[in-house]
Amino acid sequence: MKLTIDNHDGAMRAVSLPRQHYPDLPILARARDRDHCAALAEAGATATVLAAMESELRIAGAMMRALGVDDTAITAA
């Protein structure tokens, strides 16, 4: 399950409720900051990703493409 709810309380419920009923379900959640990452992990998220980090990676990839770097090399980095 992929979770990208932009509401702290909603995201917490969306992680904890499925976790209670499906303990083996992989739950991937986007978080606003490190504290939110920790809270989502404590609620049962399998993995969390900082929203800012995702956008930074996309910007870096776009910059590398603009500089002529091959997509294969970008994804390998």
Side-chain angles (χ1 to χ4, degrees):
M1 179 171 126
K2 176 182 163 188
L3 178 66
T4 60
I5 297 171
D6 195 24
N7 174 288
H8 183 275
D9 294 336
M12 296 300 291
R13 282 191 304 276
V15 168
S16 63
L17 289 175
R19 178 57 65 222
Q20 291 172 15
H21 299 286
Y22 305 97
D24 296 327
L25 177 70
I27 301 174
L28 312 167
R30 181 186 68 189
R32 292 182 179 182
D33 55 38
R34 289 178 192 226
D35 290 339
H36 194 206
C37 275
L40 288 167
E42 188 174 323
T46 308
T48 59
V49 175
L50 287 171
M53 182 177 288
E54 177 63 26
S55 64
E56 293 296 329
L57 290 172
R58 288 179 181 249
I59 290 169
M63 175 69 77
M64 293 172 79
R65 280 185 199 86
L67 294 171
V69 177
D70 182 72
D71 278 342
T72 305
I74 294 171
T75 57

